[in-house]
Amino acid sequence: MMRGNMRSFGADSVLSVTWILVLSAARAFAQPQRGLVPGFFIFGDSLVDNGNNNRLITLARANYRPYGIDFPQGSTGRFTNGRTYVDALAQLFGFPYYIPPYARTRGPALLRGVNYASGAAGIRDETGNNLGDHTSMNQQVANFGMTVEEMRRFFRGDNNALTSHLSKCIFYCGMGSNDYLNNYFMSDFYSTSHDYTPNAFASVLLQDYTRQLTQLYALGARKVIVTAIGQIGCIPYQLARYNGSNSRCNEKINSAITLFNSGLLKLVQTFNNGRLPGAKFVYLDSYKSSNDLSLNGTSSGFEVVDKGCCGVGRNNGQITCLPLQQTCQDRSKYLYWDAFHPTETANILLAKLTYSSQTYTYPMSIQQLTTL
């Protein structure tokens, strides 16, 4: 996100040229690779939830208009106007359908992938309790364990065949945002900011996440995308509340999540260096991609990068999108759909950028991961 006049004109010019080259590469090479991925399994929060929260008693729900206003199936529970990042990624993998939510998926369809994500969910179980019910990462992993047991029946108990199938599937894990937004930096409801320094909290989160990702590995995950936390100190929700003198963003939050992100990158390196034999993890730098999208919004066709298309108050970020609320006129020109979540246009662009390019992925692109 823009930080006053910290960048010189020359640095901005170089950054803009680099961004244009990245966009051109993404548009040229992000083509569907059909048949390479037999299944796609998704773990995360509201950024990728596609309906698992619809029947829960929670404020973290999006199964009402205008959410889904641009989605073919309408208001399904996706926290955006159309497709999510993983919807767009599934299309690039060559899937002719959207990966279904766990809440509505049973039987042979499980073999092709399931979305376990839940709005307000976090790495820690208590994260998101301020909004109501949700499915934490621990429970999402447990749900996948039940899925594996059910899939075993379709392979007639042939564990080798099941293991082979899962080893070819892609797993996506995007967790941590709510552990900060709806836990650590919500001191009126949670004690974690009093119990832990930012360094200690990042360490505790990473310990829990290490265990959870290792459990997924034990259940058969071998090709895994793990995402860094985006630049959440600069989302409309924070811009509506923060009145800092040196930056329009809440750098206290950005600094805290940077500690987590740097530790997550090291964890990926550790996993790939033999800790989890046969597995390949790809680190998706959502912090850098969200920062670059905001800084170079005009190059991507965005005219508004600091306000929600739908919402209430300052930056349309003080209250999130209300039922039947009027949205902005041209949704494709907005980076953010509401106080927290990107628009469909942003999700599709990010999927293309991260699929074929290594600008935001380490140690390889997502497309390369599919071919292993």
Side-chain angles (χ1 to χ4, degrees):
M1 293 289 179
M2 194 75 73
R3 293 180 173 83
N5 296 317
M6 288 178 65
R7 293 185 182 275
S8 67
F9 175 78
D12 277 334
S13 299
V14 172
L15 187 60
S16 297
V17 171
T18 302
W19 180 250
I20 291 170
L21 291 174
V22 169
L23 285 174
S24 299
R27 288 163 182 156
F29 298 112
Q31 300 298 323
Q33 301 295 308
R34 299 189 183 278
L36 291 177
V37 181
F40 186 22
F41 295 90
I42 299 155
F43 305 81
D45 52 31
S46 59
L47 290 171
V48 292
D49 184 356
N50 65 349
N52 285 307
N53 275 20
N54 289 355
R55 298 178 182 177
L56 301 182
I57 301 174
T58 177
L59 294 174
R61 292 199 309 191
N63 56 337
Y64 58 85
R65 294 288 288 250
Y67 286 96
I69 192 171
D70 297 310
F71 193 70
Q73 300 166 23
S75 302
T76 58
R78 288 166 167 82
F79 289 75
T80 184
N81 58 306
R83 283 167 283 181
T84 66
Y85 172 81
V86 292
D87 287 331
L89 202 56
Q91 290 183 300
L92 291 171
F93 289 153
F95 286 97
Y97 48 81
Y98 300 109
I99 304 301
Y102 176 73
R104 298 200 313 267
T105 311
R106 297 295 181 271
L110 296 170
L111 298 171
R112 298 187 294 272
V114 184
N115 186 324
Y116 301 90
S118 173
I123 294 170
R124 292 172 68 93
D125 286 338
E126 83 275 6
T127 290
N129 283 347
N130 55 297
L131 295 171
D133 200 7
H134 60 275
T135 308
S136 68
M137 183 59 175
N138 280 327
Q139 186 58 52
Q140 289 181 36
V141 173
N143 288 343
F144 177 64
M146 290 186 280
T147 296
V148 171
E149 288 305 309
E150 190 167 349
M151 284 194 291
R152 201 181 307 278
R153 295 191 297 109
F154 300 114
F155 287 95
R156 300 183 183 276
D158 187 340
N159 290 333
N160 290 333
L162 174 58
T163 299
S164 177
H165 173 77
L166 291 173
S167 71
K168 298 180 180 71
C169 296
I170 297 290
F171 291 75
Y172 169 95
C173 299
M175 277 290 185
S177 296
N178 285 308
D179 292 293
Y180 287 94
L181 287 175
N182 287 299
N183 192 328
Y184 192 73
F185 286 104
M186 192 169 282
S187 57
D188 291 343
F189 198 93
Y190 299 95
S191 65
T192 43
S193 61
H194 304 291
D195 299 336
Y196 301 100
T197 65
N199 268 305
F201 188 66
S203 178
V204 167
L205 284 183
L206 288 164
Q207 287 175 14
D208 288 342
Y209 207 23
T210 299
R211 173 180 50 78
Q212 292 158 351
L213 293 172
T214 302
Q215 287 174 337
L216 286 181
Y217 170 84
L219 289 167
R222 291 298 180 270
K223 299 180 182 182
V224 186
I225 304 163
V226 291
T227 68
I229 301 174
Q231 201 176 37
I232 57 176
C234 301
I235 60 176
Y237 176 80
Q238 292 298 332
L239 297 181
R241 288 159 175 76
Y242 184 65
N243 292 302
S245 57
N246 297 321
S247 171
R248 70 186 187 90
C249 300
N250 188 329
E251 298 302 342
K252 182 178 180 181
I253 293 179
N254 286 340
S255 296
I257 62 176
T258 297
L259 297 172
F260 174 86
N261 287 343
S262 61
L264 185 61
L265 175 58
K266 292 176 182 177
L267 180 61
V268 166
Q269 294 169 328
T270 299
F271 282 161
N272 287 340
N273 288 335
R275 179 166 174 175
L276 299 180
K280 180 59 71 175
F281 281 71
V282 168
Y283 174 82
L284 176 56
D285 194 345
S286 298
Y287 189 96
K288 186 175 188 295
S289 64
S290 60
N291 180 53
D292 286 355
L293 264 183
S294 183
L295 286 173
N296 301 280
T298 54
S299 301
S300 311
F302 297 113
E303 295 178 0
V304 182
V305 298
D306 60 350
K307 297 179 177 65
C309 171
C310 185
V312 178
R314 183 181 177 189
N315 295 81
N316 277 352
Q318 289 179 293
I319 300 175
T320 197
C321 196
L322 299 173
L324 303 179
Q325 184 179 350
Q326 188 72 30
T327 71
C328 61
Q329 188 171 4
D330 189 346
R331 295 179 285 276
S332 68
K333 301 299 183 183
Y334 278 68
L335 177 59
Y336 288 100
W337 161 250
D338 62 11
F340 302 94
H341 309 98
T343 57
E344 177 187 64
T345 300
N347 284 326
I348 293 171
L349 178 58
L350 283 170
K352 290 179 178 179
L353 287 171
T354 55
Y355 179 70
S356 58
S357 166
Q358 285 186 246
T359 305
Y360 304 113
T361 58
Y362 172 87
M364 64 182 65
S365 71
I366 293 173
Q367 185 176 27
Q368 289 172 320
L369 182 66
T370 67
T371 63
L372 294 180

